[in-house]
Amino acid sequence: MQDYTPIQFAVINQLFPCQKTILGDFKQLINPNHLNTIEDIQTLYNDAIYVELTKSYRSTYEIITFANKIQNIDQLEPVERHGETPQLIFCKNKQDEMLKLKKKLKLFQASYRASLGIIVRTNSEAKSLYSQLLPDYNINLISPESTRFEIGISITSIQMSKGLEFDEVIILNVNHDNYKTEYDRSLLYIAVTRCMHQLTIMYVEKPSHFLP
């Protein structure tokens, strides 16, 4: 619901005058120009039943606890499924970050896990990283032109990762300059919550102040 404006909901109501179930999470706002709130939507559906779903089933207890601290969420309750603590990796420079990323890819290839998502901020960053890694790895690029999701190693932007889930996630470039506004906080929260079992965050020099 957070990705539609009130005028879009009004059009949907004209096209589909039926009963509806509208789901969403305003902590996962992907479009900074959509400034509507749950209250705005409720004015369009003033006779609707409002239900808050507060239990998260995708990620481990450790990952959801970590994500909650990024967005300062108290009411989201993780299921009691425990795993590894999210790992923050300091990198001296971009070359060091690439070296440590490749070590992580080698560990994934030797593991039993089926899917690894490497998440960067933009589609252009994802395309550039894909070009760098393609000669040495069997990887997939998830872009606006993609038509299907495949298991294995995937590179994607935060925008394209929304709605997806991976056994393991590596988020790159989580530096202070990349993630410093409230909108950046929302993007980082989306990236973190794509992960089911093992989360790694890499940063060069100074980390984002949103990281716990």
Side-chain angles (χ1 to χ4, degrees):
M1 62 185 177
Q2 69 276 3
D3 296 321
Y4 293 86
T5 63
I7 189 65
Q8 288 173 315
F9 277 113
V11 173
I12 290 171
N13 293 340
Q14 291 291 321
L15 295 174
F16 304 100
C18 56
Q19 292 189 345
K20 302 173 184 66
T21 299
I22 302 172
L23 295 172
D25 179 0
F26 275 96
K27 297 294 185 180
Q28 296 192 38
L29 185 66
I30 202 75
N31 190 328
N33 297 316
H34 287 192
L35 301 179
N36 52 300
T37 65
I38 185 64
E39 288 76 19
D40 295 328
I41 296 175
Q42 286 177 308
T43 61
L44 294 169
Y45 303 98
N46 53 21
D47 59 344
I49 298 171
Y50 175 63
V51 178
E52 286 191 4
L53 307 176
T54 59
K55 179 157 286 194
S56 174
Y57 293 90
R58 172 186 291 139
S59 309
T60 62
Y61 180 92
E62 288 75 15
I63 292 171
I64 287 299
T65 301
F66 184 88
N68 287 351
K69 290 178 181 177
I70 291 175
Q71 277 285 25
N72 298 320
I73 301 174
D74 295 324
Q75 67 272 25
L76 187 60
E77 179 186 357
V79 294
E80 287 290 335
R81 179 172 65 83
H82 288 277
E84 299 179 33
T85 301
Q87 187 177 14
L88 303 181
I89 298 181
F90 163 75
C91 305
K92 293 179 290 187
N93 48 47
K94 297 299 293 182
Q95 292 75 20
D96 188 38
E97 187 176 52
M98 180 61 70
L99 181 64
K100 290 176 178 175
L101 171 62
K102 290 182 176 180
K103 288 181 179 178
K104 279 288 183 180
L105 296 182
K106 186 175 181 179
L107 290 173
F108 169 77
Q109 290 173 325
S111 74
Y112 62 89
R113 295 196 169 116
S115 61
L116 164 64
I118 305 172
I119 301 179
V120 292
R121 184 177 169 116
T122 66
N123 289 324
S124 60
E125 286 180 76
K127 188 174 181 179
S128 174
L129 182 61
Y130 175 74
S131 299
Q132 293 179 62
L133 294 177
L134 184 59
D136 301 315
Y137 299 91
N138 181 20
I139 56 176
N140 312 301
L141 174 64
I142 302 175
S143 70
E145 291 75 38
S146 299
T147 57
R148 62 181 179 178
F149 175 80
E150 298 181 6
I151 63 171
I153 302 172
S154 298
I155 298 174
T156 184
S157 66
I158 295 174
Q159 173 195 359
M160 297 306 303
S161 74
K162 195 170 181 184
L164 301 179
E165 57 186 34
F166 303 91
D167 291 331
E168 182 177 345
V169 164
I170 301 172
I171 310 174
L172 300 181
N173 307 325
V174 188
N175 310 324
H176 174 73
D177 291 337
N178 274 347
Y179 296 92
K180 59 185 178 182
T181 68
E182 285 303 305
Y183 174 60
D184 299 333
R185 184 202 295 268
S186 179
L187 294 180
L188 184 57
Y189 178 75
I190 293 171
V192 166
T193 53
R194 301 308 93 203
C195 184
M196 294 190 289
H197 303 293
Q198 184 175 356
L199 173 65
T200 301
I201 293 177
M202 296 187 182
Y203 62 92
V204 175
E205 297 181 352
K206 187 178 180 181
S208 168
H209 65 279
F210 294 131
L211 293 174

